[in-house]
Amino acid sequence: QVHSGDDLGKHEAKLRELEVQNMTASRPEDVREILAKIPDKAAFNAALQVLIFDDKDGLLAAWREGDAKRQMCSVGRIMRWQAVGGDAVWRNWGSD
């Protein structure tokens, strides 16, 4: 399981080796049907790598940006609670 961009980054080597030809499914006929619909598997694999690793629009970049946004939201909440009263942080943790 992958819970964050950092977790995703830990699996980067495996993701870079990802190829559609090596896919699995609970039903072998699903694998055959899907692979039959992909005429150029090398092009598909290359596009998949861009989708995952592109520095601007890739999955890793988007997830890391999302992690940073969530972190900043948490910092903002803590700052607001701190302004209300020091113990408000812990009394209200997770209530947003």
Side-chain angles (χ1 to χ4, degrees):
Q1 269 187 336
V2 178
H3 299 286
S4 71
D6 288 337
D7 285 345
L8 199 55
K10 291 175 188 174
H11 298 285
E12 182 174 341
K14 286 183 183 179
L15 289 170
R16 289 202 181 272
E17 296 172 4
L18 193 62
E19 292 183 330
V20 70
Q21 308 84 299
N22 299 328
M23 68 177 286
T24 60
S26 57
R27 297 177 349 136
E29 58 269 25
D30 289 342
V31 172
R32 288 190 297 272
E33 183 179 336
I34 291 167
L35 291 176
K37 292 181 179 185
I38 303 172
D40 187 345
K41 291 165 186 59
F44 182 92
N45 291 333
L48 183 60
Q49 291 298 306
V50 170
L51 181 68
I52 296 170
F53 293 107
D54 183 76
D55 289 336
K56 182 179 176 199
D57 299 316
L59 177 62
L60 277 175
W63 204 328
R64 286 184 179 126
E65 181 180 319
D67 280 354
K69 286 179 184 176
R70 279 191 295 277
Q71 290 169 3
M72 293 312 294
C73 286
S74 293
V75 167
R77 268 196 313 271
I78 291 169
M79 295 300 289
R80 285 192 307 273
W81 291 334
Q82 196 64 27
V84 173
D87 65 337
V89 171
W90 308 117
R91 282 182 299 156
N92 296 300
W93 189 259
S95 65
D96 278 356

